Amino acid sequence: HNFDFLAMIRFGFPLMDISGPLVALGHIALICLAYHRGWLPRLQTRLIAAGRMAFTNYLSQTLICGLLFFGFGLGWYGTFNRPALLGVTLGIWALQLWWSPWWLTRFRMGPFEWVWRRLTYGKVGPSG
Protein backbone atom coordinates (compact mmCIF):
# COMPACT_ATOMS: atom_id res chain seq x y z
CA HIS A 1 0.00 0.00 0.00
CA ASN A 2 3.02 2.28 -0.42
CA PHE A 3 3.07 3.15 3.31
CA ASP A 4 -0.48 4.57 3.20
CA PHE A 5 -1.35 5.60 6.76
CA LEU A 6 -4.92 4.27 6.75
CA ALA A 7 -3.86 0.96 5.23
CA MET A 8 -1.19 0.62 7.91
CA ILE A 9 -3.77 1.21 10.64
CA ARG A 10 -6.22 -1.31 9.14
CA PHE A 11 -3.82 -4.07 8.15
CA GLY A 12 -0.27 -3.40 9.29
CA PHE A 13 -0.67 -2.67 12.98
CA PRO A 14 -2.90 -5.68 13.84
CA LEU A 15 -0.53 -8.01 11.99
CA MET A 16 2.47 -6.52 13.77
CA ASP A 17 0.79 -7.14 17.13
CA ILE A 18 0.69 -10.85 16.32
CA SER A 19 3.81 -11.37 14.25
CA GLY A 20 6.17 -8.95 16.02
CA PRO A 21 6.58 -10.93 19.26
CA LEU A 22 6.84 -14.22 17.35
CA VAL A 23 9.56 -12.88 15.07
CA ALA A 24 11.40 -11.44 18.09
CA LEU A 25 11.29 -14.83 19.85
CA GLY A 26 12.59 -16.48 16.69
CA HIS A 27 15.51 -14.04 16.53
CA ILE A 28 16.31 -14.61 20.19
CA ALA A 29 16.22 -18.39 19.70
CA LEU A 30 18.50 -18.18 16.66
CA ILE A 31 21.00 -15.98 18.53
CA CYS A 32 21.02 -18.37 21.51
CA LEU A 33 21.52 -21.35 19.21
CA ALA A 34 24.36 -19.62 17.36
CA TYR A 35 26.05 -18.73 20.65
CA HIS A 36 25.77 -22.20 22.16
CA ARG A 37 26.90 -23.96 18.99
CA GLY A 38 29.84 -21.59 18.56
CA TRP A 39 28.86 -20.38 15.09
CA LEU A 40 30.85 -17.43 13.75
CA PRO A 41 33.35 -17.20 16.64
CA ARG A 42 35.11 -14.11 15.23
CA LEU A 43 31.80 -12.26 14.98
CA GLN A 44 30.93 -13.37 18.51
CA THR A 45 34.22 -11.96 19.79
CA ARG A 46 33.48 -8.63 18.12
CA LEU A 47 29.90 -8.55 19.43
CA ILE A 48 31.11 -9.30 22.96
CA ALA A 49 33.56 -6.40 22.72
CA ALA A 50 30.81 -4.11 21.40
CA GLY A 51 28.64 -5.18 24.34
CA ARG A 52 31.40 -4.32 26.79
CA MET A 53 31.42 -0.84 25.27
CA ALA A 54 27.63 -0.50 24.93
CA PHE A 55 27.42 3.01 26.40
CA THR A 56 30.26 4.30 24.22
CA ASN A 57 28.77 2.66 21.13
CA TYR A 58 25.30 4.06 21.90
CA LEU A 59 26.68 7.57 22.26
CA SER A 60 28.85 7.23 19.15
CA GLN A 61 25.82 6.08 17.10
CA THR A 62 23.92 9.11 18.33
CA LEU A 63 26.80 11.43 17.45
CA ILE A 64 27.38 9.88 14.01
CA CYS A 65 23.69 9.97 13.07
CA GLY A 66 23.33 13.49 14.43
CA LEU A 67 26.25 14.64 12.30
CA LEU A 68 24.85 12.89 9.23
CA PHE A 69 21.18 13.75 9.48
CA PHE A 70 20.58 16.93 11.46
CA GLY A 71 21.18 20.59 10.73
CA PHE A 72 24.30 20.93 12.87
CA GLY A 73 25.91 18.33 10.58
CA LEU A 74 25.31 17.41 6.97
CA GLY A 75 21.52 17.79 7.20
CA TRP A 76 20.70 14.63 5.22
CA TYR A 77 17.45 13.92 7.11
CA GLY A 78 14.78 12.71 4.67
CA THR A 79 17.14 12.41 1.71
CA PHE A 80 17.93 8.67 1.88
CA ASN A 81 15.64 5.83 0.84
CA ARG A 82 15.35 2.70 2.98
CA PRO A 83 18.09 0.66 1.28
CA ALA A 84 20.48 3.59 1.65
CA LEU A 85 19.58 3.90 5.34
CA LEU A 86 20.25 0.19 5.74
CA GLY A 87 23.68 0.81 4.23
CA VAL A 88 24.33 3.62 6.71
CA THR A 89 23.25 1.35 9.57
CA LEU A 90 25.47 -1.51 8.43
CA GLY A 91 28.38 0.90 7.97
CA ILE A 92 28.02 2.21 11.52
CA TRP A 93 27.78 -1.36 12.86
CA ALA A 94 30.86 -2.41 10.90
CA LEU A 95 32.76 0.58 12.28
CA GLN A 96 31.73 -0.26 15.84
CA LEU A 97 32.51 -3.96 15.40
CA TRP A 98 35.99 -2.96 14.27
CA TRP A 99 36.47 -0.18 16.84
CA SER A 100 35.33 -2.05 19.97
CA PRO A 101 37.87 -4.94 19.98
CA TRP A 102 40.62 -2.55 18.83
CA TRP A 103 39.92 -0.25 21.77
CA LEU A 104 39.62 -3.08 24.31
CA THR A 105 43.02 -4.50 23.36
CA ARG A 106 44.48 -1.19 24.57
CA PHE A 107 42.17 -0.27 27.46
CA ARG A 108 40.09 -2.17 29.99
CA MET A 109 36.81 -0.44 29.14
CA GLY A 110 35.31 2.04 26.72
CA PRO A 111 35.93 5.76 27.20
CA PHE A 112 32.38 6.60 28.30
CA GLU A 113 32.21 3.53 30.55
CA TRP A 114 35.36 4.88 32.22
CA VAL A 115 33.82 8.35 32.63
CA TRP A 116 30.59 6.84 33.98
CA ARG A 117 32.45 4.81 36.61
CA ARG A 118 34.57 7.80 37.51
CA LEU A 119 31.47 9.97 38.04
CA THR A 120 29.58 7.23 39.88
CA TYR A 121 32.29 5.93 42.23
CA GLY A 122 34.80 8.77 42.23
CA LYS A 123 37.44 6.37 40.97
CA VAL A 124 37.76 3.35 38.71
CA GLY A 125 37.62 0.22 40.83
CA PRO A 126 39.66 -2.98 40.56
CA SER A 127 37.31 -4.47 37.94
CA GLY A 128 37.79 -1.53 35.59
Side-chain angles (χ1 to χ4, degrees):
H1 298 284
N2 200 25
F3 300 104
D4 176 59
F5 181 70
L6 293 177
M8 288 298 294
I9 289 175
R10 276 190 231 130
F11 306 113
F13 292 154
L15 289 174
M16 285 191 310
D17 288 342
I18 297 167
S19 64
L22 295 175
V23 170
L25 287 173
H27 288 150
I28 292 168
L30 184 60
I31 290 168
C32 289
L33 182 65
Y35 177 76
H36 288 293
R37 296 250 172 113
W39 299 342
L40 305 170
R42 289 175 44 194
L43 178 61
Q44 283 186 18
T45 301
R46 292 186 175 281
L47 288 170
I48 289 168
R52 286 184 54 205
M53 292 180 50
F55 188 36
T56 296
N57 283 324
Y58 169 75
L59 291 176
S60 67
Q61 284 177 9
T62 303
L63 179 64
I64 291 167
C65 289
L67 290 173
L68 290 176
F69 297 112
F70 294 115
F72 59 84
L74 297 174
W76 288 347
Y77 181 80
T79 61
F80 288 22
N81 60 19
R82 289 176 188 248
L85 287 173
L86 179 60
V88 170
T89 301
L90 293 175
I92 292 171
W93 285 358
L95 179 67
Q96 290 181 328
L97 290 176
W98 169 79
W99 147 272
S100 298
W102 178 86
W103 182 271
L104 290 175
T105 59
R106 289 153 180 80
F107 303 98
R108 291 171 25 165
M109 64 185 76
F112 287 104
E113 286 78 11
W114 181 85
V115 169
W116 187 260
R117 284 188 185 204
R118 193 81 164 154
L119 292 173
T120 301
Y121 302 116
K123 62 182 171 70
V124 179
S127 66

